[in-house]
Structures are given as C-alpha cells and as structure tokens.
C-alpha cells in the first residue's frame, strides 16, 4: 500500500520566532509564509507489525535516534488518534539542493503528517493535518497549504494551525543566495528558546508584529510584491536583531550573508524590486517579481556563482502522489 505524499518548503515573510508553549509548540505570535515550488520532500509511511521500533530512512540512509525524535512525536499522535500501537517505517526523500543547507524540516514534517495519517487510515482535514504537522516542527504547519499561509497561534494544540491566505498566482518569486558556511548554526529551536528567555529586544520584536502582519496581508491582497518584500525585509531584520541581545549573544549572519544583503540593496538602487529575508542560517532569500527574476539573477552572477543562485516560484500544498 503506497502512502506517498509530497510537501513543499515554505519561507516565512512574517517570522515565527519564539514559543509560548514548548511542549505542544504554541507560538508567541501569528506568522505568515510563502510555500515554494523549488524545494520539497516526498515521504511514505507504512505501519508494520514486525517492527519493534520506528525507523526513518532519509534518502535511503537509516537515521539515528535523535533525528527520529520529531518523527516519533508525529507518529505517536497518529497512533493515538487511530487507536494503534504498531511501529512504522518512514521513507523520506528531500528534493532540496544538497549544497543548499536549507532546512527541510518544514516540508519533511508536513509530508510525514500527511503520509502517516493516510497509512493509519485516518481521513484528516487540512486543519487537522496542519495541527499534526505543527507538533513535528512549528513552521511545518504552514506547508499543508500552497501559496501564502498564516499560522494562527491559537492557545492550545487544537486551536493552533495554519490557514490559506492567497494562492500567489501573481507576479512574485524568490531567489536564494546559498552561502556555504561551515560554522555550526544554533538550531532554530534552540535559537528562539534562548532569545525568548534572555534577549531584552524580544518584547520590542513581539510588539511590532501586529502592525507587520496586517500590513503584509494588505500588500498581498493588493498583489504588491514590492511592499511584500519591504515588510518582509524589515521583519527579518528585527527578528535577527533579537539574537544579538541574547545571552550568550549569537547571529546567523556570516560575512558572506552580509555581502549578499549588500548585493540586494545594490539591486534596489538599480531600480529592481528586491528585498531579502533570512532564517536560522546564513542563506539569503530574495523576494522579487517573478518577471524580474532572470534579470536579477544575471546581475547577481557578477558576485555569486550559478550554483549559489536558486530561483523559486510559489508552490502547492500537501499532495498525495504515485511513486
Ligand atoms: O519559519 C519561520 O517562521 C522562522 C524560522 O524559520 C526562523 F528561523 C523558524 C522556524 O522554526 P522551526 O524550525 O519551525 O522551529 P520548531 O517549531 O522548534 O521546530
């Protein structure tokens, strides 16, 4: 029985950066993202009476216990809903350029939620799938939907899930500048926890989010990709500022990240609608018009290699596939 599903990566334009409840992953604030076509995960789950423990194969390589923790959280919730105790085998393939160093937990955990619930014979709604994926990794709850999605924070497991905002069938795209850095980043989970607990800038970040979110939804409704980018860049800079005030302080920015951010500012001076966002890593993601993407890429080839530049368009939500 094949339960193959595909889920795509999403990039937050209004960031999730801090949990109100770490146990069931309730965020401090609503966030909003764009699901992309370029990066996705395909996953198949089978429950098997002969297994004594859950197994995760990632790109055909069996994974160790630690990488299984988020997977087990989702599988345990599915088993509880289905009233079964059977262990499962999870086969997952990440279609994310290996050099990218891009976090695939969002697409991975969303695909897991979809396939595991199918394999257990559950017929979950998109809202229930989003709630389930959230327990694997917060941002995964937004990958259930294509285009723009908003994660409504809620106040409990059942009330914290994403909703679709707009299908993004208009002139917006993203261009990734992949900055290959050796430094070990602080994981998003650890980074946001440390920031919430110790950064004096955290409250200022939180206080500014309501305005960012309503301005972002207005810009999306007007299909104004320049405004979307402007708000997203300001929001990302504020998020990253909080890490500098943490104890101990940290930053995801590398010298190469700064060079990429400068290149984006230069593009704006040349008249392009280009803004950037960044997550828990050194890569820089440009938000631009799809119609200007190739021209922007050509300009960036003066400063970066072809393999460092990956273009992406808005992508679909969770899909069942034949494999
Ligand atoms: O995606 C965003 O809104 C912003 C971030 O990417 C910025 F880094 C955080 C994603 O955090 P995630 O990996 O979902 O954390 P988990 O719930 O602890 O697993």
């Amino acid at each position: 029985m094949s339960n193959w599903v595909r889920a795509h990566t999403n990039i937050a334009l209004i960031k999730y950066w801090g949990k109100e409840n770490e146990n069931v992953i309730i965020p401090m604030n609503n966030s909003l993202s764009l699901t992309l076509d370029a990066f996705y995960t395909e996953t198949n789950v089978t429950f098997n009476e002969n297994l004594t423990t859950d197994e995760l194969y990632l790109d055909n390589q069996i994974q160790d216990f630690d990488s299984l923790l988020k997977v087990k959280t989702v599988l345990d919730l599915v088993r509880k809903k289905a009233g079964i105790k059977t262990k499962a085998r999870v086969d997952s393939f990440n279609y994310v350029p290996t050099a990218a160093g891009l976090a695939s937990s969002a697409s991975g955990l969303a695909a897991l939620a979809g396939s595991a619930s199918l394999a257990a014979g559950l017929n979950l709604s998109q809202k229930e799938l989003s709630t389930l994926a959230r327990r694997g990794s917060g941002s995964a709850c937004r990958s259930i939907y294509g285009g723009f999605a908003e994660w409504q924070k809620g106040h409990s497991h059942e009330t914290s899930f994403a909703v679709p905002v707009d299908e993004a069938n208009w002139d917006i795209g993203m261009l990734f500048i992949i900055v290959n850095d050796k430094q070990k980043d602080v994981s998003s989970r650890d980074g946001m926890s440390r920031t919430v607990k110790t950064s004096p800038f955290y409250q200022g970040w939180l206080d500014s989010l309501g305005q960012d979110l309503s301005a972002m939804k207005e810009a999306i409704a007007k299909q104004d990709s320049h405004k979307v980018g402007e708000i997203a860049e300001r929001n990302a800079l504020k998020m990253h500022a909080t890490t500098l005030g943490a104890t101990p302080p940290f930053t995801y920015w590398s010298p190469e990240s700064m060079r990429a951010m400068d290149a984006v500012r230069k593009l704006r001076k040349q008249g392009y609608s280009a803004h950037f966002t960044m997550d828990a890593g050194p890569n820089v993601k440009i938000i631009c018009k799809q119609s200007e993407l190739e021209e922007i890429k050509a300009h960036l080839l003066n400063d970066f290699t072809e393999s460092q530049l990956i273009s992406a368009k808005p992508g679909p939500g969770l899909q069942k596939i034949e494999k």
Side-chain angles (χ1 to χ4, degrees), residues 99-121:
L102 283 169
S104 51
S105 67
S107 56
L109 275 305
L112 174 72
S115 185
S117 47
L118 273 179

Side-chain angles (χ1 to χ4, degrees), residues 63-137:
Q63 301 298 300
D64 64 19
F65 183 78
D66 284 354
S67 10
L68 254 173
L69 289 177
K70 292 181 178 180
V71 167
K72 273 184 167 310
T73 302
V74 174
L75 291 175
D76 286 344
L77 285 164
V78 168
R79 282 188 277 255
K80 193 168 164 211
K81 265 183 187 295
I84 59 175
K85 294 195 179 315
T86 321
K87 299 301 180 190
R89 172 177 168 137
V90 180
D91 286 283
S92 231
F93 293 90
N94 279 332
Y95 294 82
V96 175
T98 33
L102 283 169
S104 51
S105 67
S107 56
L109 275 305
L112 174 72
S115 185
S117 47
L118 273 179
L122 300 173
N123 186 14
L124 300 185
S125 66
Q126 285 185 302
K127 176 179 144 186
E128 288 169 316
L129 284 169
S130 182
T131 306
L132 176 61
R134 190 199 81 250
R135 294 290 294 276
S137 180

Side-chain angles (χ1 to χ4, degrees), residues 10-19 22 25 29 31-33 70 103 105-106 109 133-142 151 186-190 192 239-240 252 278-281 285:
N10 71 78
I11 296 296
L13 304 176
I14 302 292
K15 301 294 185 189
Y16 150 53
W17 189 242
K19 297 180 179 70
E22 296 202 345
I25 305 190
N29 58 278
S31 58
L32 187 146
S33 63
K70 292 181 178 180
S105 67
L109 275 305
R134 190 199 81 250
R135 294 290 294 276
S137 180
S139 54
C141 78
R142 302 180 308 230
W151 175 6
V186 177
S187 74
S188 46
R189 189 161 291 190
D190 293 341
M192 64 174 80
M239 174 209 136
H240 285 273
Y252 291 108
M278 288 184 68
D279 293 296
K285 296 124 185 182

Side-chain angles (χ1 to χ4, degrees), residues 183-228:
Q183 77 194 59
K184 173 91 190 74
D185 288 329
V186 177
S187 74
S188 46
R189 189 161 291 190
D190 293 341
M192 64 174 80
S193 180
R194 186 192 309 177
T195 304
V196 170
K197 288 177 183 138
T198 64
S199 177
F201 305 154
Y202 189 74
Q203 193 53 51
W205 149 257
L206 268 189
D207 294 345
S208 74
L209 287 177
Q211 166 55 28
D212 283 3
L213 190 61
S214 48
M216 178 60 77
K217 288 199 267 191
E218 195 182 317
I220 290 169
K222 290 180 181 159
Q223 301 190 355
D224 182 342
S225 50
H226 184 89
K227 197 78 188 140
V228 166

